[in-house]
Amino acid sequence: FAIDFKHLNIKTVRMLILLGLLVGVAGDLPVHCTYKQIEGNWVFTLNSETFKPSLQDSQTYCGHGQPDQVLNIKPSKVFSFEKPLKEEVTLSEPNTATSSTYGKGTWTMIYDEGFLVSFAGIEFFTYSLYVKKGKNYASVCDRTTLGWYKQADSKWGCFFAEKKDKAESYSVQPELTVKWVEPSYMSFLQKAQLYDDYKEAVEQINSSQSSWKADLSPQFLGLTVSEVSSHFGSKKPKPPGPFSSFIESKTSLTPSELSKLSLKDQESLLYFWEKKLEDIPSSSLPQSWDWSDIDGTNYVSEPRQQGNCGSCYTVTAVSMLEARLRIYTSFEFDHLLSMQYLIDCSFYTEGCDGGYPTLLNKFISEFGIVSEECMPYLAKNNQCKFSCQDGVKVSVKDYGYVGGYYGASNEENIMKELRARGPVIANFEPSWDFTLFKSGIYQSFSRRETSTELNDLDMREAELDWERVSHSVLLVGWGEENGQKYWKAINSWGTKWGENGYFKIKRGTDECSIESMAEAAVPYVVSYN
């Protein structure tokens, strides 16, 4: 797949460059730290005064907002508690945590913003520290903001951490506003240019390649390019727990058992729900799979419309849980879950300003999630207030990154998780042309060089510390057309975009980082009428 730039006129190229500058400009927290900066020896300082968590008690937020927001922390800020308790914790590759008090556990980065540490009996989560310097922010990767710890007795406390072996501040981050980074030779571009003006770009894309078809999406007509950019929006532009084995299982499966991977009766669909991914050989996976069409049955919710709110991470999280519950209960549970509840009530994420699905799943594991009927979607931040009459409540018992930690997911383990338990959340960095997708197998106009494609490797194996992502979608299946492997996914831009809200994207090469950060959870029903 390649674009012949010789056949693109200068007006089209200018328009395409403008769109490219805007993808992913919405942001959340201004911090960037990699696992290499976080691994090492830390001192965790715990507030020994614990509390029972409550969504209505600001003590539960540990100095953060509901939803979370950017903190105005000065470089001279020193955190302290009246009754501190200090514990030394070592974080090692790839995901091992050790402590003389807590024993051996696991840890993972949460993208590039924080880290989650889990021991038997206690769990910690915090963000890396970022401080205000004039109009900008600097990441301080050897310190953290105030974070949370959770004990097995359900009591919580706040904590902060400082690395014993110091690291330098990584970089200065820009303010959290939409930035137009225009070289001097691009001063002719108009910031308020309409999406409608890109008809010529559509024609040029369609005449330059045959992998997929472009068209103007009806929902974006009349919007400026800046307004369209808000429909991406889970993470900001920045500089360049073992989920695979959390359920005990036997170590091998018989040929008869493995044959069920390709079968679609109810027993076979559920057979691998409690199996470890490493027990499923890749060679036994079917050539294609699609949870939106299992012999005519669709387990996936109707494509949602996120609107002018950076809530794609919320859309994919609830859609994943809904689909998996339909699979597990054979449609006995068929309720929609509330995105607005997560936007307004989660203090781990930033509402319409973005967030990460794994943190939403952590929140749901602690407080549950209510139905859409209880708290309908508003596409904006609001107060965490609800009164539910339908009795619907769902929680999750396990959650995390596919592969066990951030950086461990790849084509193979994503396919296994998707087949075993249902649709999987994927995060990626689509280019400007993704808004124009109509049909086919998407590959970015600004695709990565072949030498940087991961193929069968995960990020750590490829010695990558981090990959930029800015949009979350839900993978519902995979297949192959005309020799091209693809993922089938559902977007959060309604049914008028793409193929009735769905799209296919090239599989197996980490196209647009689609295989870099896969996430999933195992839901269960607490109650429903």
Side-chain angles (χ1 to χ4, degrees), residues 208-220:
S208 300
Q209 52 83 44
S210 59
S211 178
W212 59 281
K213 294 296 182 183
D215 199 1
L216 297 179
S217 180
Q219 72 174 38
F220 295 140

Side-chain angles (χ1 to χ4, degrees), residues 111 236-240 406 427-429 466-470 512-513 516:
Y111 193 46
K236 61 185 174 298
K238 303 171 182 174
Y406 173 71
N427 305 274
F428 71 130
E429 176 73 356
W466 170 80
E467 283 193 70
R468 188 202 309 264
V469 296
S470 62
C512 298
S513 301
S516 70

Side-chain angles (χ1 to χ4, degrees), residues 31-163:
V31 61
H32 175 69
C33 298
T34 69
Y35 79 93
K36 287 184 178 179
Q37 293 167 295
I38 300 301
E39 64 182 9
N41 301 310
W42 288 79
V43 175
F44 286 15
T45 302
L46 288 65
N47 188 345
S48 59
E49 297 181 353
T50 59
F51 53 85
K52 288 287 187 179
S54 169
L55 292 180
Q56 283 69 49
D57 185 354
S58 60
Q59 183 181 17
T60 303
Y61 315 153
C62 287
H64 295 258
Q66 187 192 46
D68 194 16
Q69 55 194 354
V70 176
L71 303 174
N72 188 10
I73 304 173
K74 296 181 179 179
S76 59
K77 174 67 176 178
V78 176
F79 299 109
S80 63
F81 302 122
E82 288 186 8
K83 298 179 180 179
L85 176 64
K86 294 183 181 292
E87 298 289 351
E88 292 193 8
V89 176
T90 299
L91 306 179
S92 307
E93 283 199 70
N95 68 325
T96 300
T98 55
S99 163
S100 60
T101 301
Y102 307 128
K104 186 176 181 180
T106 61
W107 76 284
T108 180
M109 293 292 297
I110 300 297
Y111 193 46
D112 64 343
E113 294 191 1
F115 54 91
L116 177 69
V117 184
S118 300
F119 294 101
I122 193 166
E123 180 180 271
F124 299 87
F125 169 67
T126 187
Y127 288 107
S128 294
L129 182 66
Y130 53 93
V131 295
K132 192 74 179 290
K133 288 190 174 182
K135 293 184 177 181
N136 297 317
Y137 292 87
S139 301
V140 185
C141 298
D142 56 23
R143 294 177 59 198
T144 74
T145 65
L146 288 179
W148 300 261
Y149 71 89
K150 179 180 66 174
Q151 300 177 157
D153 61 5
S154 299
K155 289 184 179 180
W156 287 32
C158 303
F159 88 105
F160 61 89
E162 188 167 350
K163 200 173 184 184

Side-chain angles (χ1 to χ4, degrees), residues 211-359:
S211 178
W212 59 281
K213 294 296 182 183
D215 199 1
L216 297 179
S217 180
Q219 72 174 38
F220 295 140
L221 296 177
L223 299 181
T224 65
V225 175
S226 181
E227 291 169 331
V228 172
S229 73
S230 69
H231 289 71
F232 290 86
S234 55
K235 298 93 190 173
K236 61 185 174 298
K238 303 171 182 174
F243 193 79
S244 65
S245 58
F246 58 73
I247 297 174
E248 292 299 323
S249 176
K250 62 182 181 180
T251 58
S252 63
L253 299 171
T254 67
S256 176
E257 290 175 300
L258 293 175
S259 68
K260 295 180 183 293
L261 287 166
S262 299
L263 302 179
K264 299 179 180 180
D265 60 279
Q266 192 59 32
E267 178 189 357
S268 297
L269 292 180
L270 292 176
Y271 192 81
F272 301 92
W273 186 268
E274 295 187 353
K275 306 300 183 186
K276 292 190 293 186
L277 299 190
E278 51 263 42
D279 285 340
I280 303 174
S282 299
S283 59
S284 296
L285 291 169
Q287 291 298 307
S288 63
W289 193 262
D290 185 355
W291 283 110
S292 68
D293 184 11
I294 301 294
D295 288 340
T297 299
N298 183 2
Y299 289 88
V300 185
S301 300
E302 183 82 2
R304 286 176 161 97
Q305 169 60 270
Q306 71 179 77
N308 191 28
C309 170
S311 60
C312 57
Y313 71 107
T314 307
V315 176
T316 56
V318 298
S319 298
M320 181 268 298
L321 296 177
E322 291 163 355
R324 289 184 167 214
L325 285 171
R326 292 190 190 100
I327 294 165
Y328 188 70
T329 68
S330 301
F331 282 93
E332 183 178 343
F333 185 93
D334 193 19
H335 296 270
L336 296 180
L337 301 176
S338 175
M339 299 185 296
Q340 195 65 40
Y341 169 79
L342 298 177
I343 289 172
D344 293 340
C345 299
S346 171
F347 40 82
Y348 296 137
T349 50
E350 289 71 57
C352 281
D353 291 325
Y356 302 97
T358 287
L359 293 182

